[in-house]
Amino acid sequence: MADQGKNEAAKSLLDLQPTTVLELYKLHADFQNRPEIFFTFHGGTNFSNNITWQGIQYIPLPVETEGFGVFADGTLPRPKIRVGNHNKIVTVFLEKFSDFKNAAVFRKKVFLKHLDDVNFDGGNPFGVANPSAEISEEKYFIGQKTIENSNYVEFELN
């Protein structure tokens, strides 16, 4: 079943009329000891409301990233992610979970046309909802917090 979803996502990459690709993030504050506690968000550029994917809600939060990729020389990327800290939402989590000492970030890519029907009145007008049609999921650990202020928090990922 999961393979069918991956095949659907792969076919969509080759469509003559592809739809928007969304990036969704799931941050596990202490992945090692408390994997059931996580915070989900998306960049909010394509949707200003919550997005539901695979039954999980992702809230809009300003996100900037750099350095994601695969390198031909075999070196591992060390991307950075900057997350909006409006009302000190990230700072509160940092204080509660030891500066994300054991945190993991999952970065998912999905097509708009495969989003859950609950995101739209009357179902998905861009395609057919398919929760198994995920383009990719990458897992990173937070290496260190590099910047924290009232506007954003930046992390270097491993």
Side-chain angles (χ1 to χ4, degrees):
M1 184 74 167
D3 287 340
Q4 289 175 342
K6 291 287 184 190
N7 289 340
E8 181 69 25
K11 281 193 283 185
S12 294
L13 288 169
L14 301 173
D15 278 353
L16 294 176
Q17 297 177 336
T19 63
T20 302
V21 174
L22 304 171
E23 290 184 357
L24 309 173
Y25 299 91
K26 184 188 272 189
L27 187 144
H28 290 263
D30 186 350
F31 189 69
Q32 188 173 9
N33 301 309
R34 309 274 314 270
E36 74 281 0
I37 297 175
F38 56 85
F39 178 67
T40 56
F41 56 96
H42 68 92
T45 54
N46 297 311
F47 273 89
S48 58
N49 297 324
N50 292 351
I51 292 177
T52 301
W53 172 248
Q54 299 173 328
I56 298 172
Q57 279 199 352
Y58 294 78
I59 66 166
L61 197 62
V63 176
E64 288 182 355
T65 62
E66 65 181 63
F68 284 104
V70 178
F71 304 114
D73 64 1
T75 59
L76 296 174
R78 295 183 71 85
K80 291 186 178 180
I81 183 170
R82 285 175 289 285
V83 181
N85 198 18
H86 182 68
N87 291 332
K88 298 192 177 197
I89 188 168
V90 180
T91 297
V92 168
F93 273 91
L94 285 167
E95 290 170 358
K96 185 171 176 131
F97 294 100
S98 306
D99 269 352
F100 294 160
K101 180 180 167 192
N102 296 313
V105 175
F106 290 80
R107 177 181 178 232
K108 297 174 174 266
K109 288 185 179 181
V110 299
F111 281 109
L112 173 67
K113 70 181 182 178
H114 295 139
L115 284 184
D116 298 13
D117 285 332
V118 299
N119 292 293
F120 310 95
D121 291 333
N124 189 335
F126 303 104
V128 177
N130 186 345
S132 63
E134 193 171 88
I135 299 169
S136 66
E137 179 181 63
E138 303 162 4
K139 177 182 174 185
Y140 296 91
F141 290 99
I142 292 184
Q144 64 179 333
K145 174 181 67 176
T146 54
I147 299 171
E148 179 182 3
N149 59 44
S150 60
N151 296 318
Y152 66 92
V153 179
E154 180 182 87
F155 301 99
E156 182 180 74
L157 307 178
N158 301 324

